[in-house]
Amino acid sequence: MKKIVAMVLAGGAFSALGIIAGRRAKAAIPFGGIYRIIDFVLSNLTNSNIEHVGILAQYRPGSLIDHIGSGASWDLFGRTRAVKILPPYKGEDDSDWYKGTADAVYQNLNFIRDRNPSEVMVLAGENIYTMNYQELIRFHREKKADCTLVCNPLPTADPHRFGVMTLEDDGRVKSYHEKPKTILGDYYSAGIYIFRTEYLIERLTADAMNPESRHNIADNITLDMLQRGDRFYGYVFNDYWAYCGTLEEYWKANMDLLDESSKLDLWTWMVRTNLDDRNIGGHQPAVMRPGSHVVQSLISSGCRISGTVENSILSPGVIVEPGAMIRDSIVMHETVIQKDAVLDRVIADKDVVIGEGSRIGIGDMSIVNTTFPKFVKTGLTLLGKDAHVGRNVSLGRNVLIYPGSSVPDNAEIESGDTIT
């Protein structure tokens, strides 16, 4: 059987996701109660019987390393299966940081060569989707392609953020423009590539020698393939695919879990996670106390609900005291919502405390955050990890509370403010 090696790009820092990405790589951000974003690509690899995985980590990889552990949670552990974290390393001729996605793979060519695969997959580790990669591999081999890129049909929100492409009738890529100002194409890149191994090594080596290159696969390798006339194909993916590039997109993808029509189904997708991470698997079942009210929500194990939860996602160990109300929100592990507090369109990171009688997420949604006006502008209020909000506090919309920060009792924080 031909061997496949997968290289997962999981090292990015994304300011658009604000403080929830401030202490961790984007791929390590919690999702859907007990999962993390990287669980989706790892589960896809496992479910597609791809057994050799390298994870290219760079930005604050500690949380990611702890979560992946030995890889046993995804059955990527044993004599013939393995997952390995591949951070940048120092050497006489190597930089301390990856210069780009192409350079990240280039610096780890020994990982690929040691496993002698017939093909190499390069995948973004930061999207929400399910895919049987074996179907992609069959397409790639049938076309005798040098490279195949998975693409999604247009339209999509803000397509100028992606590579936009057109295809010939047989699937060969006719045109490709990375992050174009003018959208001329039918598809956009999903950030999932498969390369013939010898071809990938050749192109990465040439790119590394080019002083004018940005050393990115999308910016340089992809465009070079087209110019050379290489066998470059597009594989059209027509199912659910969510890009968590902004706070609103991250929030919306989580909310899709509560919408039966969205096609985002963690159970049928067979998504795995590390249940030893924060002892997720050791929690008792959630408890709904007398007087509690839960509507269209995902409540994880270990939660104790005495108030009201509507259209929200709660990670393990969240406490909702009597009279408290959570609406259209994402509340992460071990956060405490004290008596009579109200949350509306809030993303609360782990170990947050909301004081009694506080109101979080009120006021004018159109007032953008003054510090990050491009990124915090849709009415979501963010509470960083270990933040503490006192009693009877009023917090507006598009507000950021930085990790570890405190808001004193009776404070009134206007919409668009930032607390550091």
Side-chain angles (χ1 to χ4, degrees):
M1 180 181 293
K2 294 182 179 179
K3 187 184 297 182
I4 304 289
V5 166
M7 305 294 276
V8 178
L9 302 168
F14 287 77
S15 58
L17 285 178
I19 58 176
I20 61 172
R23 292 186 175 182
R24 54 171 81 93
K26 180 184 174 186
I29 293 174
F31 185 91
I34 67 172
Y35 303 94
R36 294 181 187 250
I37 292 177
I38 198 170
D39 290 341
F40 291 85
V41 67
L42 292 179
S43 297
N44 288 337
L45 290 166
T46 293
N47 296 335
S48 301
N49 297 314
I50 294 173
E51 300 175 334
H52 302 274
V53 181
I55 297 180
L56 302 165
Q58 177 164 278
Y59 177 77
R60 298 192 175 182
S63 184
L64 192 65
I65 291 170
D66 290 343
H67 179 67
I68 293 170
S70 67
S73 298
W74 300 270
D75 202 26
L76 293 169
F77 178 77
R79 290 185 298 171
T80 61
R81 302 180 301 278
V83 59
K84 186 175 182 180
I85 302 287
L86 301 170
Y89 57 90
K90 291 183 179 181
E92 292 182 0
D93 300 313
D94 299 305
S95 68
D96 295 351
W97 290 100
Y98 295 139
K99 300 183 185 76
T101 54
D103 182 59
V105 181
Y106 176 74
Q107 283 199 36
N108 291 283
L109 285 181
N110 283 341
F111 178 85
I112 295 171
R113 291 189 178 107
D114 288 348
R115 286 149 184 83
N116 192 29
S118 57
E119 289 98 2
V120 178
M121 295 188 70
V122 181
L123 311 101
E126 301 153 344
N127 301 314
I128 308 299
Y129 67 103
T130 185
M131 181 184 293
N132 181 355
Y133 295 139
Q134 290 298 335
E135 296 177 2
L136 166 64
I137 294 166
R138 279 195 295 272
F139 175 90
H140 175 80
R141 290 173 177 170
E142 287 171 0
K143 297 296 183 181
K144 297 181 171 59
D146 294 315
C147 173
T148 301
L149 170 60
V150 176
C151 54
N152 300 314
L154 287 168
T156 189
D158 298 326
H160 60 273
R161 297 177 297 169
F162 305 101
V164 174
M165 53 204 289
T166 57
L167 303 179
E168 304 281 6
D169 290 342
D170 65 349
R172 194 157 184 164
V173 177
K174 182 178 181 180
S175 67
Y176 181 94
H177 302 279
E178 180 63 16
K179 297 181 176 63
K181 293 181 179 179
T182 302
I183 305 303
L184 298 173
D186 304 308
Y187 305 95
Y188 66 100
S189 170
I192 304 166
Y193 298 82
I194 180 168
F195 293 91
R196 189 167 50 82
T197 301
E198 295 83 357
Y199 176 81
L200 176 64
I201 292 173
E202 172 193 315
R203 301 320 312 151
L204 290 178
T205 302
D207 180 78
M209 300 300 108
N210 181 0
E212 297 182 357
S213 175
R214 297 178 62 187
H215 306 295
N216 278 319
I217 293 175
D219 291 310
N220 304 111
I221 303 295
T222 301
L223 296 178
D224 185 57
M225 288 190 292
L226 270 178
Q227 292 172 359
R228 289 166 46 90
D230 295 338
R231 298 186 63 82
F232 179 27
Y233 283 80
Y235 177 85
V236 179
F237 183 65
N238 287 300
D239 216 324
Y240 184 96
W241 187 87
Y243 175 66
C244 296
T246 67
L247 287 168
E248 184 71 16
E249 288 171 331
Y250 170 76
W251 176 85
K252 177 62 168 58
N254 274 272
M255 294 299 108
D256 281 348
L257 286 167
L258 309 177
D259 181 359
E260 293 183 0
S261 68
S262 74
K263 298 183 181 180
L264 172 49
D265 188 337
L266 297 174
W267 303 110
T268 60
W269 287 13
M270 296 186 292
V271 181
R272 304 185 183 203
T273 192
N274 182 359
L275 294 176
D276 293 327
D277 192 357
R278 283 189 72 121
N279 194 33
I280 290 173
H283 282 287
Q284 297 296 316
V287 175
M288 312 297 171
R289 300 194 184 280
S292 63
H293 185 61
V294 177
V295 179
Q296 196 73 14
S297 296
L298 192 159
I299 309 297
S300 302
S301 60
C303 290
R304 289 182 285 162
I305 311 299
S306 301
T308 299
V309 182
E310 297 179 354
N311 201 56
S312 295
I313 294 177
L314 275 56
S315 293
V318 172
I319 297 173
V320 183
E321 294 186 354
M325 159 72 81
I326 302 175
R327 183 188 306 113
D328 298 332
S329 295
I330 302 166
V331 183
M332 299 182 193
H333 309 66
E334 271 82 42
T335 287
V336 177
I337 315 299
Q338 293 182 353
K339 181 179 177 181
D340 298 326
V342 177
L343 279 67
D344 185 71
R345 284 181 61 88
V346 172
I347 300 176
D349 209 328
K350 300 177 181 181
D351 303 310
V352 170
V353 177
I354 309 295
E356 180 178 336
S358 290
R359 296 171 58 82
I360 314 298
I362 61 173
D364 190 348
M365 294 180 63
S366 67
I367 300 176
V368 303
N369 185 268
T370 56
T371 306
F372 301 101
K374 292 183 179 180
F375 303 138
V376 187
K377 59 183 181 180
T378 62
L380 291 166
T381 294
L382 276 71
L383 308 177
K385 185 176 180 181
D386 297 313
H388 188 284
V389 177
R391 301 174 62 183
N392 300 312
V393 169
S394 174
L395 234 63
R397 300 189 186 275
N398 295 315
V399 168
L400 293 181
I401 307 297
Y402 266 69
S405 297
S406 296
V407 180
D409 294 347
N410 304 308
E412 294 187 7
I413 309 300
E414 295 182 356
S415 293
D417 282 353
T418 299
I419 305 297
T420 59

